Amino acid sequence: MTTGVPFAPDLHDARHLWLKAVLLLLWLLVTFVTSFFARDLSLPFGGWTFGYWMAAQGAVLVFIVLTIVYCAAMDRFERADADAAASAASAVAATAPPPRHG
């Protein structure tokens, strides 16, 4: 499936763009919004306030979860694309005329 092009055009369909947009929005919320509103987020959470916990270790854990979600979603997209390509290839092969010898 490699064509020698660094980024194949089919890698940027709507599913991938929505996934990237949602994950980047979550990253933005976790990184900047919780840090900006850390004093307002002074809810007790595991012995510390929520803002402190998110700044100290929660953001790192959320980044790891975002990475795992991205990998799982891309794997699912690639498997679905491979299945669609295989079924399209078998449909073309089934409708192709038999080879002529002569």
Side-chain angles (χ1 to χ4, degrees), residues 69-95:
V69 167
Y70 180 77
C71 290
M74 290 303 291
D75 185 50
R76 189 169 143 227
F77 291 159
E78 289 176 359
R79 287 179 193 269
D81 291 343
D83 290 344
S87 65
S90 65
V92 167
T95 59

Side-chain angles (χ1 to χ4, degrees), residues 8-24:
D10 62 338
L11 291 177
H12 300 288
D13 64 358
R15 297 175 302 169
H16 299 100
L17 293 176
W18 275 107
L19 175 67
K20 291 175 188 178
V22 168
L23 293 178
L24 282 173

Side-chain angles (χ1 to χ4, degrees), residues 43-50 53 57:
L43 306 168
F45 188 78
W48 301 94
T49 61
F50 182 72
W53 186 84
Q57 59 194 357

Side-chain angles (χ1 to χ4, degrees), residues 5 7 24 29 37 102:
V5 179
F7 298 105
L24 282 173
L29 290 172
F37 294 108

Side-chain angles (χ1 to χ4, degrees), residues 21-59:
V22 168
L23 293 178
L24 282 173
L25 179 65
L26 288 173
W27 172 78
L28 178 76
L29 290 172
V30 168
T31 303
F32 296 110
V33 174
T34 57
S35 297
F36 188 74
F37 294 108
R39 292 185 186 188
D40 296 332
L41 296 172
S42 60
L43 306 168
F45 188 78
W48 301 94
T49 61
F50 182 72
Y52 177 79
W53 186 84
M54 280 303 288
Q57 59 194 357

